Amino acid sequence: MKHVNLITLLLISFSTFGQNVDIISTWTNGDEFYIARKYNDSLIVLSGGNMHEGGYNFTVKVLSDNKYIIVGNSPDNDYEPSVGEKGDIVKIETFDNQKVLAIYDSKYNIQEVLSELNGRFENLVIRNKINYELSGKYKDENGKQYIFYPNKLKADGFSNQQDYKFEYEYDFPIEVLTFNNESFYYESSAGGLIIYKAQKDEYGDWEKSDKLMTLTKTECINHTNNQDLKGKYPFVSTEIMINNILENFDNKELRIMRNEIFARYGYKFKTAEMKAYFESQEWYSGLYDDVNDKLTDLEKLNVQLIKRHENELRCPTKI
Protein backbone atom coordinates (compact mmCIF):
# COMPACT_ATOMS: atom_id res chain seq x y z
CA MET A 1 0.00 0.00 0.00
CA LYS A 2 2.88 2.36 0.82
CA HIS A 3 4.37 1.72 -2.64
CA VAL A 4 1.03 2.50 -4.28
CA ASN A 5 0.64 5.72 -2.30
CA LEU A 6 4.17 6.81 -3.17
CA ILE A 7 3.61 6.17 -6.88
CA THR A 8 0.28 8.01 -6.72
CA LEU A 9 1.95 10.99 -5.01
CA LEU A 10 4.69 11.09 -7.62
CA LEU A 11 2.15 10.98 -10.45
CA ILE A 12 0.13 13.79 -8.90
CA SER A 13 3.26 15.91 -8.40
CA PHE A 14 4.39 15.31 -11.97
CA SER A 15 0.92 16.10 -13.30
CA THR A 16 0.73 19.35 -11.32
CA PHE A 17 4.21 20.34 -12.51
CA GLY A 18 3.21 19.68 -16.11
CA GLN A 19 -0.01 21.69 -15.97
CA ASN A 20 -0.08 25.35 -17.02
CA VAL A 21 3.65 25.43 -17.79
CA ASP A 22 2.90 26.93 -21.22
CA ILE A 23 1.68 30.21 -19.74
CA ILE A 24 4.91 30.78 -17.79
CA SER A 25 6.45 32.96 -20.47
CA THR A 26 6.47 36.58 -21.67
CA TRP A 27 3.56 37.91 -23.69
CA THR A 28 2.90 41.13 -25.58
CA ASN A 29 0.26 43.09 -27.49
CA GLY A 30 3.02 45.29 -28.90
CA ASP A 31 2.20 48.16 -26.55
CA GLU A 32 3.09 46.40 -23.30
CA PHE A 33 4.69 43.13 -22.27
CA TYR A 34 3.62 40.77 -19.48
CA ILE A 35 5.70 38.21 -17.60
CA ALA A 36 3.65 35.33 -16.20
CA ARG A 37 4.47 33.86 -12.80
CA LYS A 38 2.73 31.38 -10.58
CA TYR A 39 1.17 33.06 -7.52
CA ASN A 40 -0.29 29.90 -5.98
CA ASP A 41 -1.82 26.64 -7.17
CA SER A 42 -4.83 28.40 -8.69
CA LEU A 43 -3.63 31.89 -9.71
CA ILE A 44 -1.21 33.14 -12.36
CA VAL A 45 -0.15 36.80 -12.23
CA LEU A 46 0.98 38.52 -15.43
CA SER A 47 2.95 41.67 -14.65
CA GLY A 48 4.85 44.04 -16.88
CA GLY A 49 4.84 47.41 -18.54
CA ASN A 50 5.99 49.32 -21.56
CA MET A 51 9.43 50.73 -22.35
CA HIS A 52 9.01 53.57 -19.84
CA GLU A 53 7.00 52.31 -16.88
CA GLY A 54 5.64 49.26 -15.14
CA GLY A 55 2.50 48.62 -13.16
CA TYR A 56 0.56 46.78 -15.85
CA ASN A 57 -1.06 43.63 -14.46
CA PHE A 58 -3.77 41.08 -14.88
CA THR A 59 -4.40 37.92 -12.91
CA VAL A 60 -5.98 34.72 -14.14
CA LYS A 61 -7.41 31.74 -12.31
CA VAL A 62 -6.66 28.26 -13.62
CA LEU A 63 -9.71 26.49 -15.04
CA SER A 64 -7.94 23.60 -16.75
CA ASP A 65 -4.80 22.97 -18.75
CA ASN A 66 -4.13 26.11 -20.81
CA LYS A 67 -7.52 27.66 -19.99
CA TYR A 68 -7.99 30.49 -17.51
CA ILE A 69 -10.40 33.21 -16.40
CA ILE A 70 -9.41 36.82 -15.67
CA VAL A 71 -10.18 37.62 -12.03
CA GLY A 72 -8.71 41.09 -11.73
CA ASN A 73 -5.57 43.19 -11.72
CA SER A 74 -3.55 41.41 -9.04
CA PRO A 75 -4.24 39.35 -5.92
CA ASP A 76 -3.25 42.36 -3.83
CA ASN A 77 -5.71 44.95 -5.17
CA ASP A 78 -9.15 45.25 -6.74
CA TYR A 79 -8.18 47.44 -9.71
CA GLU A 80 -9.36 46.66 -13.20
CA PRO A 81 -7.07 44.34 -15.18
CA SER A 82 -4.72 45.96 -17.69
CA VAL A 83 -5.82 43.42 -20.31
CA GLY A 84 -9.38 42.23 -20.88
CA GLU A 85 -12.12 42.38 -18.26
CA LYS A 86 -13.01 40.33 -15.23
CA GLY A 87 -14.69 37.13 -16.38
CA ASP A 88 -12.98 36.99 -19.76
CA ILE A 89 -11.64 33.58 -20.78
CA VAL A 90 -7.95 33.22 -21.64
CA LYS A 91 -6.74 30.29 -23.71
CA ILE A 92 -3.28 29.35 -24.94
CA GLU A 93 -3.51 28.61 -28.64
CA THR A 94 -0.99 28.02 -31.41
CA PHE A 95 -1.32 29.31 -34.97
CA ASP A 96 1.36 28.44 -37.53
CA ASN A 97 3.82 27.77 -34.70
CA GLN A 98 3.02 31.14 -33.12
CA LYS A 99 1.79 30.79 -29.55
CA VAL A 100 -0.72 33.33 -28.23
CA LEU A 101 -2.88 34.13 -25.25
CA ALA A 102 -6.32 34.50 -26.84
CA ILE A 103 -8.80 36.47 -24.75
CA TYR A 104 -12.53 35.85 -25.22
CA ASP A 105 -15.59 37.36 -23.59
CA SER A 106 -18.24 35.19 -21.91
CA LYS A 107 -19.86 34.53 -25.32
CA TYR A 108 -16.50 33.47 -26.76
CA ASN A 109 -16.09 36.52 -28.96
CA ILE A 110 -12.40 37.28 -29.44
CA GLN A 111 -11.31 40.42 -27.59
CA GLU A 112 -7.55 40.54 -27.99
CA VAL A 113 -4.48 38.38 -28.36
CA LEU A 114 -1.05 38.59 -26.80
CA SER A 115 1.71 36.85 -28.72
CA GLU A 116 4.62 35.12 -27.06
CA LEU A 117 7.59 37.48 -26.95
CA ASN A 118 10.80 36.00 -28.25
CA GLY A 119 13.66 38.45 -27.83
CA ARG A 120 13.73 42.00 -26.53
CA PHE A 121 10.54 44.03 -26.36
CA GLU A 122 12.37 47.11 -27.67
CA ASN A 123 13.34 45.22 -30.83
CA LEU A 124 9.70 44.28 -31.44
CA VAL A 125 8.56 47.90 -31.03
CA ILE A 126 11.18 49.16 -33.49
CA ARG A 127 10.50 46.38 -35.99
CA ASN A 128 6.79 47.19 -35.97
CA LYS A 129 7.50 50.89 -36.54
CA ILE A 130 9.75 50.02 -39.49
CA ASN A 131 7.38 47.54 -41.12
CA TYR A 132 3.95 49.03 -40.39
CA GLU A 133 4.56 52.78 -40.16
CA LEU A 134 7.32 53.30 -42.70
CA SER A 135 8.11 50.44 -45.08
CA GLY A 136 7.30 51.18 -48.72
CA LYS A 137 8.13 53.25 -51.80
CA TYR A 138 7.07 56.90 -51.91
CA LYS A 139 7.19 59.97 -54.16
CA ASP A 140 7.23 63.62 -53.18
CA GLU A 141 5.40 66.47 -54.92
CA ASN A 142 8.20 66.73 -57.51
CA GLY A 143 8.27 63.02 -58.33
CA LYS A 144 11.44 62.20 -56.39
CA GLN A 145 11.41 58.65 -55.04
CA TYR A 146 12.01 57.66 -51.45
CA ILE A 147 12.24 54.13 -50.07
CA PHE A 148 11.94 52.85 -46.53
CA TYR A 149 13.23 49.29 -46.47
CA PRO A 150 11.49 46.59 -44.42
CA ASN A 151 13.14 44.77 -41.52
CA LYS A 152 16.09 47.17 -41.30
CA LEU A 153 16.93 50.76 -40.42
CA LYS A 154 17.64 51.88 -43.99
CA ALA A 155 16.04 54.42 -46.32
CA ASP A 156 16.85 56.11 -49.64
CA GLY A 157 16.24 59.72 -50.60
CA PHE A 158 16.81 61.57 -47.34
CA SER A 159 20.58 61.59 -47.06
CA ASN A 160 23.70 60.29 -48.74
CA GLN A 161 23.73 57.78 -45.89
CA GLN A 162 21.06 55.08 -45.91
CA ASP A 163 21.22 54.16 -42.24
CA TYR A 164 19.01 55.97 -39.77
CA LYS A 165 18.07 55.64 -36.12
CA PHE A 166 14.97 56.45 -34.10
CA GLU A 167 15.27 59.15 -31.49
CA TYR A 168 13.85 58.44 -28.02
CA GLU A 169 11.74 60.25 -25.46
CA TYR A 170 10.76 58.72 -22.11
CA ASP A 171 12.51 55.53 -23.25
CA PHE A 172 10.23 55.25 -26.33
CA PRO A 173 11.39 55.36 -29.94
CA ILE A 174 9.45 58.31 -31.39
CA GLU A 175 8.57 59.60 -34.87
CA VAL A 176 11.96 61.25 -35.34
CA LEU A 177 14.60 59.75 -37.63
CA THR A 178 18.23 60.82 -37.70
CA PHE A 179 20.55 60.33 -40.69
CA ASN A 180 24.08 61.41 -39.74
CA ASN A 181 23.33 64.70 -37.97
CA GLU A 182 20.11 65.56 -39.84
CA SER A 183 16.82 64.70 -38.17
CA PHE A 184 13.32 64.43 -39.62
CA TYR A 185 9.94 64.25 -37.91
CA TYR A 186 7.31 62.17 -39.68
CA GLU A 187 3.53 61.89 -39.41
CA SER A 188 1.47 59.13 -40.96
CA SER A 189 -1.23 60.47 -43.26
CA ALA A 190 -3.82 58.97 -45.58
CA GLY A 191 -1.76 57.24 -48.24
CA GLY A 192 1.66 58.34 -47.08
CA LEU A 193 3.82 60.43 -44.77
CA ILE A 194 4.28 64.11 -43.98
CA ILE A 195 7.92 65.00 -43.33
CA TYR A 196 9.11 67.93 -41.20
CA LYS A 197 12.42 69.14 -39.94
CA ALA A 198 13.01 67.98 -36.37
CA GLN A 199 14.77 69.92 -33.67
CA LYS A 200 15.06 69.94 -29.90
CA ASP A 201 13.32 72.58 -27.82
CA GLU A 202 14.83 74.41 -24.85
CA TYR A 203 14.08 71.44 -22.60
CA GLY A 204 15.78 68.93 -24.89
CA ASP A 205 12.55 67.43 -26.19
CA TRP A 206 12.06 66.76 -29.88
CA GLU A 207 9.58 68.85 -31.85
CA LYS A 208 8.66 69.32 -35.50
CA SER A 209 9.47 72.58 -37.23
CA ASP A 210 9.23 73.44 -40.94
CA LYS A 211 7.26 71.12 -43.18
CA LEU A 212 9.51 69.70 -45.87
CA MET A 213 7.32 67.49 -48.04
CA THR A 214 4.34 65.19 -48.39
CA LEU A 215 5.25 61.68 -49.45
CA THR A 216 2.64 59.59 -51.26
CA LYS A 217 3.07 55.83 -50.94
CA THR A 218 3.30 54.32 -54.41
CA GLU A 219 4.12 50.73 -53.52
CA CYS A 220 4.01 48.47 -50.49
CA ILE A 221 6.99 46.23 -49.84
CA ASN A 222 6.38 42.70 -48.60
CA HIS A 223 8.37 42.27 -45.40
CA THR A 224 7.39 38.60 -44.85
CA ASN A 225 9.43 35.55 -45.74
CA ASN A 226 6.69 34.45 -48.16
CA GLN A 227 7.22 36.60 -51.24
CA ASP A 228 4.57 34.70 -53.22
CA LEU A 229 1.68 36.23 -51.27
CA LYS A 230 -0.13 38.86 -53.32
CA GLY A 231 -1.71 42.15 -52.28
CA LYS A 232 -0.82 45.14 -50.13
CA TYR A 233 -1.14 43.30 -46.82
CA PRO A 234 0.41 39.83 -47.20
CA PHE A 235 1.55 39.84 -43.56
CA VAL A 236 -2.07 39.24 -42.47
CA SER A 237 -1.67 35.66 -43.70
CA THR A 238 1.59 35.08 -41.81
CA GLU A 239 1.59 37.14 -38.60
CA ILE A 240 -0.70 37.50 -35.59
CA MET A 241 -2.49 40.84 -35.76
CA ILE A 242 -1.79 42.17 -32.28
CA ASN A 243 -3.20 45.59 -31.33
CA ASN A 244 0.07 47.42 -31.91
CA ILE A 245 -0.04 46.40 -35.58
CA LEU A 246 -3.71 47.12 -36.22
CA GLU A 247 -3.43 50.58 -34.66
CA ASN A 248 -1.44 51.72 -37.70
CA PHE A 249 -4.40 51.43 -40.09
CA ASP A 250 -7.66 53.32 -40.57
CA ASN A 251 -11.01 51.63 -41.08
CA LYS A 252 -10.81 51.70 -44.89
CA GLU A 253 -7.41 50.02 -44.84
CA LEU A 254 -8.60 47.47 -42.30
CA ARG A 255 -11.55 46.50 -44.48
CA ILE A 256 -9.32 45.96 -47.52
CA MET A 257 -6.79 44.12 -45.37
CA ARG A 258 -9.43 41.71 -44.06
CA ASN A 259 -11.02 41.08 -47.45
CA GLU A 260 -7.64 40.59 -49.09
CA ILE A 261 -7.35 37.32 -47.16
CA PHE A 262 -10.43 36.03 -49.02
CA ALA A 263 -9.30 37.56 -52.32
CA ARG A 264 -6.06 35.58 -52.31
CA TYR A 265 -8.19 32.41 -52.39
CA GLY A 266 -10.33 33.66 -55.28
CA TYR A 267 -13.45 34.76 -53.40
CA LYS A 268 -16.09 36.42 -55.60
CA PHE A 269 -17.09 39.60 -53.79
CA LYS A 270 -20.71 40.64 -53.53
CA THR A 271 -20.43 44.27 -52.41
CA ALA A 272 -19.81 46.81 -55.15
CA GLU A 273 -16.93 48.49 -53.31
CA MET A 274 -14.88 45.35 -52.69
CA LYS A 275 -15.76 43.90 -56.10
CA ALA A 276 -14.51 47.05 -57.84
CA TYR A 277 -11.38 47.28 -55.71
CA PHE A 278 -10.19 43.70 -56.17
CA GLU A 279 -11.10 43.47 -59.83
CA SER A 280 -8.71 46.40 -60.34
CA GLN A 281 -5.86 44.30 -58.88
CA GLU A 282 -3.99 42.40 -61.60
CA TRP A 283 -3.27 39.44 -59.35
CA TYR A 284 -6.92 38.83 -58.38
CA SER A 285 -9.29 36.37 -60.00
CA GLY A 286 -12.77 35.75 -58.57
CA LEU A 287 -13.50 32.03 -58.75
CA TYR A 288 -15.50 30.87 -55.71
CA ASP A 289 -18.59 31.87 -53.77
CA ASP A 290 -17.19 30.49 -50.52
CA VAL A 291 -13.54 30.08 -49.54
CA ASN A 292 -13.85 29.75 -45.77
CA ASP A 293 -12.61 26.15 -45.83
CA LYS A 294 -9.41 27.31 -47.56
CA LEU A 295 -8.38 29.79 -44.84
CA THR A 296 -5.69 28.81 -42.35
CA ASP A 297 -6.45 28.94 -38.63
CA LEU A 298 -4.19 31.98 -38.36
CA GLU A 299 -6.10 33.78 -41.12
CA LYS A 300 -9.43 32.96 -39.46
CA LEU A 301 -8.15 34.42 -36.21
CA ASN A 302 -6.91 37.56 -37.95
CA VAL A 303 -10.26 38.05 -39.68
CA GLN A 304 -11.89 38.11 -36.23
CA LEU A 305 -9.27 40.47 -34.79
CA ILE A 306 -9.54 42.90 -37.70
CA LYS A 307 -13.34 42.83 -37.52
CA ARG A 308 -13.19 43.71 -33.85
CA HIS A 309 -10.82 46.58 -34.55
CA GLU A 310 -13.13 47.81 -37.31
CA ASN A 311 -16.04 47.71 -34.88
CA GLU A 312 -14.07 49.79 -32.42
CA LEU A 313 -13.58 52.35 -35.18
CA ARG A 314 -17.30 52.08 -36.02
CA CYS A 315 -16.60 50.68 -39.45
CA PRO A 316 -19.00 48.28 -41.25
CA THR A 317 -17.70 44.73 -41.09
CA LYS A 318 -19.69 42.90 -43.73
CA ILE A 319 -17.84 41.30 -46.60
Side-chain angles (χ1 to χ4, degrees):
M1 181 62 71
K2 290 181 179 180
H3 291 295
V4 173
N5 288 338
L6 178 60
I7 292 172
T8 302
L9 180 60
L10 289 172
L11 287 174
I12 292 173
S13 300
F14 180 80
S15 176
T16 303
F17 179 79
Q19 287 177 347
N20 306 304
V21 171
D22 282 352
I23 198 172
I24 306 302
S25 186
T26 303
W27 309 89
T28 183
N29 57 14
D31 295 314
E32 307 102 33
F33 66 91
Y34 295 87
I35 300 171
R37 61 181 176 85
K38 185 177 179 180
Y39 183 78
N40 57 33
D41 288 341
S42 63
L43 296 179
I44 306 290
V45 177
L46 294 99
S47 303
N50 53 38
M51 291 177 62
H52 177 61
E53 61 185 2
Y56 293 78
N57 305 286
F58 67 104
T59 297
V60 298
K61 182 178 180 180
V62 179
L63 296 180
S64 62
D65 279 1
N66 297 330
K67 186 177 179 181
Y68 312 83
I69 186 169
I70 296 178
V71 294
N73 182 279
S74 79
D76 305 317
N77 64 57
D78 195 37
Y79 303 149
E80 290 300 312
S82 298
V83 171
E85 297 181 359
K86 293 179 182 179
D88 283 352
I89 300 298
V90 179
K91 295 182 67 178
I92 298 178
E93 300 179 344
T94 302
F95 300 91
D96 289 4
N97 297 317
Q98 300 178 61
K99 194 160 66 174
V100 304
L101 292 184
I103 301 170
Y104 300 89
D105 65 16
S106 58
K107 296 181 180 179
Y108 263 82
N109 298 308
I110 191 74
Q111 302 299 296
E112 186 178 350
V113 296
L114 281 72
S115 61
E116 189 172 30
L117 180 61
N118 298 305
R120 295 179 61 199
F121 179 62
E122 180 181 7
N123 293 342
L124 172 71
V125 171
I126 291 175
R127 188 193 72 195
N128 285 353
K129 291 181 76 67
I130 292 170
N131 288 336
Y132 301 109
E133 288 185 2
L134 297 175
S135 175
K137 295 182 180 181
Y138 301 80
K139 283 187 178 179
D140 66 14
E141 299 93 328
N142 299 315
K144 180 181 175 181
Q145 180 172 274
Y146 298 77
I147 302 174
F148 282 100
Y149 293 97
N151 300 313
K152 52 190 173 184
L153 293 164
K154 289 185 179 293
D156 289 337
F158 293 91
S159 169
N160 54 15
Q161 178 181 333
Q162 284 187 318
D163 297 334
Y164 65 85
K165 67 177 182 178
F166 285 97
E167 299 294 346
Y168 282 67
E169 282 185 0
Y170 303 107
D171 302 318
F172 283 102
I174 60 173
E175 288 71 36
V176 175
L177 311 176
T178 296
F179 297 81
N180 291 323
N181 296 316
E182 190 172 12
S183 298
F184 301 91
Y185 184 104
Y186 70 89
E187 287 181 350
S188 297
S189 66
L193 301 169
I194 303 174
I195 306 296
Y196 303 84
K197 285 184 178 179
Q199 62 186 29
K200 289 188 175 182
D201 63 18
E202 58 184 309
Y203 304 105
D205 296 328
W206 286 98
E207 63 180 6
K208 64 183 179 184
S209 58
D210 298 337
K211 179 181 174 181
L212 297 176
M213 68 191 90
T214 297
L215 298 182
T216 301
K217 183 176 281 190
T218 58
E219 185 179 335
C220 296
I221 302 176
N222 186 349
H223 68 258
T224 72
N225 292 327
N226 189 338
Q227 296 298 309
D228 294 328
L229 290 170
K230 305 299 183 183
K232 292 178 64 176
Y233 311 105
F235 52 83
V236 183
S237 289
T238 64
E239 301 173 26
I240 302 291
M241 292 296 100
I242 56 177
N243 280 352
N244 178 257
I245 294 175
L246 294 177
E247 288 165 356
N248 291 290
F249 304 98
D250 62 27
N251 49 18
K252 182 179 179 180
E253 292 173 308
L254 289 169
R255 191 176 185 202
I256 293 173
M257 180 189 301
R258 173 172 55 83
N259 282 283
E260 195 175 83
I261 295 173
F262 298 90
R264 279 192 281 272
Y265 290 103
Y267 177 71
K268 292 194 291 188
F269 291 93
K270 309 300 189 294
T271 61
E273 180 187 1
M274 290 296 100
K275 189 174 189 303
Y277 174 82
F278 285 106
E279 287 184 351
S280 71
Q281 308 300 307
E282 62 179 19
W283 56 267
Y284 170 74
S285 180
L287 301 172
Y288 310 106
D289 291 319
D290 187 350
V291 297
N292 284 301
D293 62 341
K294 300 178 184 293
L295 272 60
T296 66
D297 289 340
L298 184 147
E299 289 171 326
K300 292 175 182 176
L301 173 68
N302 282 340
V303 166
Q304 296 178 66
L305 293 170
I306 296 169
K307 275 187 177 182
R308 175 164 176 76
H309 211 74
E310 286 178 272
N311 284 335
E312 290 177 350
L313 296 175
R314 297 182 181 177
C315 175
T317 59
K318 64 182 179 179
I319 291 178

